[in-house]
Amino acid sequence: MVQRRYGLVGCGSRARMYVDAMTGAHAADAALVALGDTNPGRAQFHRDAAVAAGAQAPRLFHPDELERVIADERLDRVVVTSPDHTHADLVSRSLLAGADVVVEKPLTTDADGARRIVDAVRRSGRSVVMTFNYRYSPRNTALKRVIASGGIGTVTSVHFEWVLDTKHGADYFRRWHRRKENSGGLLVHKASHHFDLVNWWIDDEPRRVFASGGLRFYGPKNAATRGLGPRPARGTGGDATDPFQLDLRSDELLQELYLGNEQHDGYLRDQDVFSGEIDIEDNLSLVVDYAGGPSMSYSLNAHAPWEGYTVAVNGTAGRAELTVVERGAVTAEAWLDPSAVPEARDERDERPVSERLLVQEHWGTAREVPIENGEGGHGGGDVKLLRDVFVGPGEDPLGTPADYTDGVRAVAVGIAGNASLASGQPVAVEQLDLWGRG
């Protein structure tokens, strides 16, 4: 196996998984030779981590220097973990400069970005790997296997409900995600994961989207309606008893990565979730029609008291139901990303952390399908994802690895959903011209 030369752009918290992999388990497969970010302090943080792990010190650069760094350092691949609205620019520039790309979801935030990336792929002939890690989670793989086996027949409809709790869900309203121009809103940033799962599960493409939703819990208007009163602009140094305030000093990583580097760009990681800058929705409902005939009803709530999801897939021969509780209640000690690090089960909790996949064929009783988890984040899914990224996928009848075409199809639902929210009308995906066909 030839060791590839990597650069990484976007040195926020998400970069940590890739830096750790390239300086740890996959050091023989990947050499991290360059780190880029607009914030030199965050880039230095990951550089120090790489050196501490025994790697040679990567070159630090500003994203404006990307093409020069690709050429100077002879980069084979660029990993893009920057804010969503920068993906189209960084992905397309990397491709045209001669490097393949590994990019975090979402692929991009709008139709122009999708067309730009598609054009760059066609012109360069380079490859793009989409890191849809939810595909690799054993419970989601188990549902894919059930559907692919034909056990419930031809899929006719899907119901998908995802609830984010007041710890994890609220966090999207503290960060850059709170502005739709940065993230595309939760329909693009968060739900692209969910829409990709459905596209993959049923092996189909979205054709039409109708959306409804709004900002109904976070933001200043909702705070005033509930009588919350004046609030500080940020959580650090604020009221420790306020569950919606995040003090960056309470977490070593957040303190070092963000609080300690605010002087470079003024970015605040702990903004108030009830401030006036927020323009994304926290309640969303969609109806999606697919090319092959199925339809989906989808809902997302970002202020629930617990976190998890329910998926029901109806077919001509039966029904499959996946129910997941990632966190049964919000506590003061709750981790910001419960899906990656499941919490210990408390037998006293009426909603314990759990996952269950049931399949029931017509004229029969329900049976439970075993879910085999492994070690590591997302039930061992992250380990499998990183292996596919850095070593390369092996034989996979389920087609788990994803590329830019999967990325476009996933954001298609969110982009069309945003257009539908704006117009109040259904939106045909074809009208968006995401593939640049005119």
Side-chain angles (χ1 to χ4, degrees):
M1 177 70 183
V2 177
Q3 186 187 51
R4 290 174 170 168
R5 296 175 65 81
Y6 279 80
L8 182 146
V9 189
C11 294
S13 58
R14 191 58 180 167
R16 191 180 189 185
M17 180 176 80
Y18 296 95
V19 172
D20 287 351
M22 287 186 279
T23 58
H26 292 285
D29 311 306
L32 177 60
V33 298
L35 284 166
D37 199 281
T38 56
N39 186 302
R42 286 198 288 274
Q44 185 64 49
F45 173 89
H46 288 293
R47 185 180 197 235
D48 292 343
V51 172
Q56 290 190 347
R59 171 179 175 177
L60 301 185
F61 68 96
H62 189 280
D64 291 346
E65 305 172 285
L66 178 60
E67 288 86 352
R68 189 174 72 196
V69 170
I70 289 174
D72 289 350
E73 302 298 335
R74 298 173 286 109
L75 298 185
D76 299 301
R77 276 177 146 185
V78 174
V79 179
V80 177
T81 53
S82 56
D84 302 349
H85 70 285
T86 67
H87 286 189
D89 179 64
L90 295 171
V91 170
S92 59
R93 287 170 57 201
S94 296
L95 294 170
L96 295 174
D100 295 326
V101 173
V102 177
V103 59
E104 271 289 308
K105 63 84 189 167
L107 179 65
T108 185
T109 58
D110 56 26
D112 288 341
R115 289 190 289 269
R116 183 175 178 183
I117 291 172
V118 170
D119 178 67
V121 171
R122 291 170 178 166
R123 289 169 56 194
S124 68
R126 312 298 303 192
S127 68
V128 176
V129 172
M130 283 295 311
T131 55
F132 282 128
N133 58 354
Y134 277 176
R135 288 189 179 199
Y136 290 83
S137 179
R139 59 200 180 210
N140 297 327
T141 301
L143 178 56
K144 169 67 175 179
R145 192 173 289 111
V146 165
I147 297 171
S149 73
I152 61 170
T154 301
V155 174
T156 59
S157 64
V158 179
H159 171 71
F160 198 157
E161 179 184 21
W162 199 289
V163 290
L164 295 164
D165 63 29
T166 48
K167 198 79 170 181
H168 188 193
D171 207 42
Y172 294 110
F173 297 82
R174 297 186 181 104
R175 299 178 282 168
W176 52 264
H177 310 72
R178 69 206 323 241
R179 296 300 305 274
K180 191 165 284 193
E181 65 182 7
N182 293 334
S183 66
L186 292 180
L187 276 185
V188 173
H189 174 79
K190 182 62 179 176
S192 63
H193 257 325
H194 313 157
F195 302 143
D196 173 69
L197 280 176
V198 176
N199 296 345
W200 177 59
W201 280 330
I202 69 176
D203 193 22
D204 212 335
E205 296 184 39
R207 281 292 178 261
R208 188 177 70 160
V209 179
F210 178 73
S212 177
L215 182 63
R216 298 168 182 165
F217 184 81
Y218 302 106
K221 180 179 178 181
N222 297 311
T225 299
R226 296 198 298 277
L228 296 186
R231 299 184 58 80
R234 62 181 306 181
T236 301
D239 182 359
T241 65
D242 184 340
F244 288 104
Q245 290 190 27
L246 173 66
D247 193 323
L248 298 177
R249 298 171 303 180
S250 66
D251 181 273
E252 183 178 354
L253 175 63
L254 294 177
Q255 181 167 336
E256 290 189 31
L257 197 54
Y258 296 104
L259 186 62
N261 291 305
E262 290 176 357
Q263 73 274 14
H264 297 296
D265 56 11
Y267 174 61
L268 302 181
R269 172 65 177 76
D270 58 344
Q271 297 173 83
D272 182 47
V273 300
F274 299 105
S275 62
E277 186 185 45
I278 298 167
D279 66 358
I280 64 172
E281 300 82 11
D282 54 26
N283 280 256
L284 290 155
S285 299
L286 276 73
V287 175
V288 182
D289 295 329
Y290 290 84
S295 59
M296 173 177 67
S297 59
Y298 172 85
S299 67
L300 174 67
N301 178 287
H303 57 88
W306 66 281
E307 180 146 330
Y309 59 101
T310 301
V311 182
V313 183
N314 298 301
T316 55
R319 175 180 169 102
E321 301 170 355
L322 175 62
T323 304
V324 177
V325 177
E326 293 182 335
R327 180 159 53 208
V330 175
T331 64
E333 301 80 21
W335 179 247
L336 292 177
D337 187 0
S339 63
V341 186
E343 297 181 5
R345 178 169 178 164
D346 186 343
E347 296 296 339
R348 299 168 297 175
D349 191 349
E350 293 298 326
R351 197 190 301 276
V353 172
S354 60
E355 55 187 10
R356 193 181 194 198
L357 175 58
L358 292 178
V359 175
Q360 187 167 2
E361 299 173 4
H362 289 162
W363 328 118
T365 57
R367 61 181 175 86
E368 184 169 356
V369 177
I371 299 171
E372 299 180 4
N373 287 300
E375 296 294 327
H378 296 96
D382 286 354
V383 173
K384 296 177 182 178
L385 167 69
L386 292 169
R387 182 193 61 209
D388 277 2
V389 168
F390 293 113
V391 178
E395 183 178 350
D396 184 352
L398 299 181
T400 310
D403 64 11
Y404 79 99
T405 62
D406 301 296
V408 172
R409 294 184 184 112
V411 297
V413 181
I415 294 171
N418 281 332
S420 179
L421 288 170
S423 69
Q425 300 296 318
V427 172
V429 172
E430 186 178 17
Q431 295 174 353
L432 302 174
D433 190 28
L434 301 177
W435 302 97
R437 294 165 180 158

